[in-house]
Amino acid sequence: GKGLDGQIVPLKDAEKVMELCSPVALMSCICRKEWRAIDERNELEYTCMGIGVGMFKWERWPERYKGGVKFVNAEEAKERLRKFDKMGFVHGVMLFGHPFIGGMCQCDYPACLMLRPAVDFGIILLKSHYVAVVDYDLCNGCGICAQRCKFGALKFESTIQKPYIDQFKCYGCGLCESGCPRKAINLVERKSIPAVAEVWK
């Protein structure tokens, strides 16, 4: 829709995108450069991925890309996604004119130009097709999940000493799920919960 630049996706969906899109190239992140003065100068530092035929013309792009790009295959791209997921980065597909997907961002707050407006104002990004749910029988209240939520959706509930997820705020990024050592958090289809089935922003 108008004014929406991307959509959050959990790791499993991000990996599917890597299998379906070609070519994929690692590249520097303009968000970190603009907002945090972090200049990613080589393939070991690149956090963004460009996707599609536009990558064949990267040398014609603005000056920010003159450092180059690193083309990778689907398996290499997925390994990169897993690495950033462990580090607590949110995955987001960038939309360049709906429904064209032009990139896969590895976002963190507050450095991301898409994530920050979504968290602070509820604009720019669509939520994923999932929401997170806690299995309280498996949860031991370790609190790791609360450290990984970028959207303020997951709070540690002092009365039960376990996390509570506000599904209206949940973007379904899956960081709480992938970070839980007891597998006590799962993503469920957004449409399966009537109250949030149409809550996309």
Side-chain angles (χ1 to χ4, degrees), residues 8 90 107-120 123-125 150-151 171:
I8 295 300
V90 174
C107 303
D108 63 337
Y109 183 90
C112 177
L113 290 169
M114 291 198 307
L115 194 59
R116 189 167 178 175
V119 172
D120 292 349
I123 59 173
I124 302 293
L125 283 176
K150 305 281 185 187
F151 299 97
Y171 270 71

Side-chain angles (χ1 to χ4, degrees), residues 3-15:
L4 296 171
D5 294 335
Q7 183 173 19
I8 295 300
V9 292
L11 178 61
K12 63 182 179 180
D13 286 2
E15 290 180 334

Side-chain angles (χ1 to χ4, degrees), residues 39-182:
D39 194 6
E40 301 172 350
R41 296 174 179 245
N42 60 64
E43 63 190 73
L44 298 176
E45 299 176 346
Y46 294 159
T47 53
C48 282
M49 298 179 184
I51 299 170
V53 294
M55 294 311 302
F56 290 126
K57 297 294 183 182
W58 66 266
E59 72 278 2
R60 297 184 184 179
W61 293 5
E63 193 64 29
R64 67 174 264 217
Y65 297 108
K66 296 302 182 184
V69 300
K70 167 71 174 176
F71 286 93
V72 293
N73 62 37
E75 285 308 313
E76 291 170 321
K78 288 194 285 186
E79 184 58 37
R80 195 76 166 210
L81 290 172
R82 293 181 202 115
K83 169 190 168 184
F84 285 115
D85 197 85
K86 284 182 182 176
M87 294 171 63
F89 285 72
V90 174
H91 314 292
V93 290
M94 292 178 61
L95 306 176
F96 297 109
H98 191 70
F100 175 66
I101 297 175
M104 177 70 70
C105 291
Q106 318 310 316
C107 303
D108 63 337
Y109 183 90
C112 177
L113 290 169
M114 291 198 307
L115 194 59
R116 189 167 178 175
V119 172
D120 292 349
F121 307 109
I123 59 173
I124 302 293
L125 283 176
L126 284 173
K127 294 176 178 174
S128 84
H129 288 264
Y130 310 92
V131 291
V133 177
V134 180
D135 182 334
Y136 289 110
D137 291 331
L138 294 176
C139 176
N140 68 351
C142 71
I144 291 173
C145 55
Q147 299 169 32
R148 288 172 64 84
C149 183
K150 305 281 185 187
F151 299 97
L154 196 153
K155 305 289 186 189
F156 200 76
E157 180 57 63
S158 60
T159 57
I160 60 172
Q161 293 296 302
K162 291 185 178 183
Y164 164 77
I165 298 174
D166 182 341
Q167 292 176 341
F168 286 95
K169 290 184 177 180
C170 179
Y171 270 71
C173 69
L175 283 184
C176 57
E177 178 190 48
S178 62
C180 179
R182 297 179 63 86

